[in-house]
Amino acid sequence: MADEKLPTRAEDFSEWYNQLVLKAQLADYAPVRGCMIVRPYGWALWENIQGALDRRFKATGHQNVAFPLFIPKSFIEKEKHHVEGFSPELAVVTIGGGEELAEPLVVRPTSETIIGHMWSKWIQSYRDLPVLMNQWNSVVRWELRTKLFLRTLEFYWQEGHTAHATRDEAVEETRQMLDAYADFAINDAAIPVIPGAKSDAEKFAGADVTYSIEAMMGDGKALQAGTSHFLGQNFAQAFDVKYLDQNGAQQYCWTTSWGLSTRFIGAIIMVHGDDQGLLLPPKLAPTQVVIVPIFKTDEEKADVLKTAKELKAQLVKANLRVTLDEREGFSPGWKFNDWEMRGVPVRVELGPKDVTKQAVVLARRDKPGKEGKVSAPLADLACTIEKLLADIHQSMFDKALTFRRSKTLEAQTYDEFKKAVETGFAYSYWCGNGTCEEKIKEETRATMRCIPLDQTAVLGHPASATARTCVYCGQPAKERAIFARAY
Ligand SMILES: [Zn+2]
């Protein structure tokens, strides 16, 4: 596998991505068009993502639940915007056990409706609130154009659902979970993200406000990496989710939902990957450290493998995720390339001379060649590697942020804008009018990604523009928005 070369990112970014996903054995195409099989290496990455998020969800008081895969079709039809948004993508089951079903069942595209239905039974009084739930599952949306991890008919994700007594509390929850996603992206995935609000055209079907975290991929396009929705009372009214307040009056609940999916793996690949292959963020990498033993004679082999096994045990004890590559029949050079392609952050090279010196060579994946190699004593190597991993995380984040900022232009004229979205983000004043947004999309294929909550953090400095006018129509504008072509 490692012998076939990937196309470079400059040659064909899309093909680089497709081939890398297969070659690194993250996922494969399923017999059903548009479905994917997540292979062990990809699933291990997803499990680490799950762990990192689940800790954050539990720390903020949420509990995991499991709702069924099937939803009565009539449920989807109860919330007007929801049905409009999801109808074209639904998979519907009409036959079960050989019999035509009395009511068709929808394979869940998301679970607001069935959860709303159950809440109407479970929630009676203000004492029952807030309800803070999350579920890890897969959902189905019948997409026409698919790409591994980025858009597949079935994908894995988590969906959080909460119900609150007041509007303020629900808004606060929506923002809290957006912050949790941003914190995860930055501190675990080394991906700089822009948290912001979506336009009406881009928001979730049935939401009052949708927030998202947006990231720039290695080709300058945007990817929505997680979303958090304030649903107002839309679903509570459609499903009669009410509670008796402290004064004995019936009130509708205020609800939220929020999700992050296996799409995020696509973001990790496209933000950090290079022409050699993957570069996985140390905190999420299934293997953080790979030990490659180097020897020629049987005597050397015995010595080197003995030390390698002791070293592995030392690193495992320090809670590092370690692989010792004992595969026969492959040269060390071949193994180096293979693990580089698979994005393992640190490689330990251990040969007979190193055993004598009680030292190893550490090679970091983010700095190819001699520049990224250091010799380190075997004693206390776990501690040395932990520091190295932290340093790699920081370098990866800094590099991605510098790249994003260099490809984000403060376009003030429409000509500048059109140029900016050819290669990256346009960060421009926008009047907020949906007509301008629609025209921009038609003419440039760029969509409104988000209105950043922190307008200064995008570029690290305040707006250079003196005129606060919409980049399209010239009308007065209050805020700047990110526009980009997107995945
Ligand atoms: Zn305008």
Side-chain angles (χ1 to χ4, degrees):
M1 283 291 275
D3 302 326
E4 298 153 38
K5 251 192 150 357
L6 290 167
T8 67
R9 293 180 308 151
E11 271 164 20
D12 189 340
F13 193 86
S14 174
E15 214 21 53
W16 166 84
Y17 176 88
N18 292 339
Q19 289 191 22
L20 181 53
V21 170
L22 298 175
K23 198 173 167 182
Q25 300 182 353
L26 292 170
D28 205 345
Y29 298 103
V32 173
R33 182 203 65 86
C35 290
M36 73 173 162
I37 295 149
V38 184
R39 300 187 67 178
Y41 196 49
W43 195 258
L45 178 57
W46 179 238
E47 281 178 339
N48 290 340
I49 293 171
Q50 287 184 305
L53 287 170
D54 210 63
R55 273 197 300 281
R56 288 171 169 86
F57 300 160
K58 298 212 168 111
T60 42
H62 302 86
Q63 288 177 309
N64 284 337
V65 292
F67 274 74
L69 176 68
F70 297 124
I71 298 177
K73 191 157 181 274
S74 59
F75 281 25
I76 302 285
E77 286 155 4
K78 280 190 182 176
E79 209 286 332
K80 188 164 67 80
H81 298 285
H82 197 64
V83 66
E84 277 170 20
F86 281 104
S87 278
E89 300 180 349
L90 292 179
V92 185
V93 178
T94 55
I95 296 172
E99 302 272 326
E100 183 105 5
L101 300 175
E103 183 182 354
L105 301 174
V106 161
V107 181
R108 67 184 161 211
T110 178
S111 305
E112 279 77 4
T113 57
I114 192 164
I115 288 176
H117 175 81
M118 295 314 295
W119 280 349
S120 70
K121 299 177 191 299
W122 296 342
I123 299 170
Q124 305 298 332
S125 133
Y126 68 92
R127 290 185 198 90
D128 300 326
L129 296 170
V131 174
L132 308 172
M133 304 189 331
N134 175 63
Q135 68 174 340
W136 292 97
N137 61 9
S138 70
V139 291
V140 169
R141 297 176 186 177
W142 215 263
E143 302 275 2
L144 296 178
R145 297 187 56 199
T146 58
K147 201 169 171 72
L148 292 171
F149 289 119
L150 298 181
R151 191 166 276 109
T152 48
L153 296 200
E154 181 187 13
F155 61 85
Y156 300 88
W157 76 341
Q158 57 70 216
E159 43 177 320
H161 295 273
T162 69
H164 306 264
T166 67
R167 185 182 198 284
D168 284 356
E169 215 186 279
V171 169
E172 196 179 309
E173 165 78 7
T174 312
R175 291 288 295 271
Q176 171 183 262
M177 300 328 286
L178 181 75
D179 289 348
Y181 288 151
D183 184 65
F184 157 75
I186 293 165
N187 293 309
D188 286 329
I191 296 179
V193 289
I194 304 172
K198 288 280 183 186
S199 64
D200 280 350
E202 299 283 336
K203 72 185 184 189
F204 175 75
D208 276 4
V209 187
T210 287
Y211 295 97
S212 70
I213 49 169
E214 299 285 330
M216 183 187 280
M217 304 299 103
D219 60 351
K221 284 198 200 167
L223 185 133
Q224 175 180 295
T227 50
S228 186
H229 315 290
F230 169 62
L231 303 173
Q233 293 178 316
N234 303 334
F235 286 90
Q237 284 175 5
F239 289 89
D240 210 32
V241 185
K242 285 189 289 200
Y243 71 96
L244 215 51
D245 71 13
Q246 272 142 309
N247 306 316
Q250 288 279 352
Q251 304 283 355
Y252 282 111
C253 289
W254 299 84
T255 68
T256 81
S257 67
W258 26 277
L260 187 146
S261 75
T262 35
R263 243 185 154 216
F264 199 89
I265 293 178
I268 289 174
I269 298 167
M270 290 195 288
V271 169
H272 298 306
D274 60 22
D275 290 344
Q276 270 62 57
L278 297 175
L279 168 49
L280 297 179
K283 287 191 190 156
L284 301 176
T287 293
Q288 296 170 305
V289 185
V290 62
I291 305 169
V292 179
I294 303 165
F295 49 81
K296 288 205 178 78
T297 65
D298 280 350
E299 200 188 344
E300 284 175 356
K301 181 179 173 180
D303 268 1
V304 168
L305 281 184
K306 182 176 172 280
T307 307
K309 280 176 185 163
E310 285 164 7
L311 174 58
K312 183 184 172 183
Q314 182 201 336
L315 300 182
V316 167
K317 211 172 157 194
N319 287 321
L320 290 164
R321 298 187 289 274
V322 190
T323 298
L324 168 58
D325 189 349
E326 289 187 79
R327 286 180 289 180
E328 305 262 358
F330 297 99
S331 71
W334 188 92
K335 289 180 180 177
F336 292 177
N337 287 339
D338 191 44
W339 292 111
E340 267 174 24
M341 187 270 293
R342 286 165 156 260
V344 173
V346 173
R347 179 176 74 229
V348 178
E349 303 173 6
L350 183 69
K353 281 184 193 159
D354 301 307
V355 175
T356 316
K357 282 191 295 185
Q358 285 295 292
V360 294
V361 172
L362 298 177
R364 43 195 289 181
R365 172 64 181 83
D366 63 327
K367 288 189 181 163
K370 285 224 165 72
E371 192 202 350
K373 285 199 182 190
V374 287
S375 179
L378 266 176
D380 216 16
L381 195 65
C383 194
T384 311
I385 289 178
E386 273 164 16
K387 281 188 200 135
L388 189 59
L389 290 171
D391 194 43
I392 291 171
H393 173 93
Q394 193 58 46
S395 309
M396 287 172 70
F397 178 83
D398 292 346
K399 191 178 170 199
L401 182 62
T402 304
F403 177 81
R404 190 191 82 202
R405 284 182 173 166
S406 74
K407 291 200 172 281
T408 300
L409 299 178
E410 294 183 277
Q412 293 175 47
T413 68
Y414 194 45
D415 276 345
E416 287 170 3
F417 181 99
K418 283 189 275 191
K419 233 178 187 167
V421 299
E422 290 286 332
T423 55
F425 291 1
Y427 189 29
S428 299
Y429 279 101
W430 169 54
C431 62
N433 192 324
T435 315
C436 289
E437 185 186 0
E438 187 57 38
K439 287 281 179 200
I440 287 173
K441 190 175 169 182
E442 268 174 39
E443 293 167 18
T444 71
R445 291 188 289 128
T447 48
M448 208 295 267
R449 303 316 305 159
C450 73
I451 299 169
L453 294 170
D454 182 340
Q455 295 261 307
T456 304
V458 174
L459 287 167
H461 61 75
S464 309
T466 42
R468 298 189 166 198
T469 53
C470 174
V471 72
Y472 191 81
C473 70
Q475 293 298 305
K478 285 199 203 80
E479 290 169 307
R480 289 184 292 169
I482 299 282
F483 287 86
R485 292 175 186 160
Y487 281 98

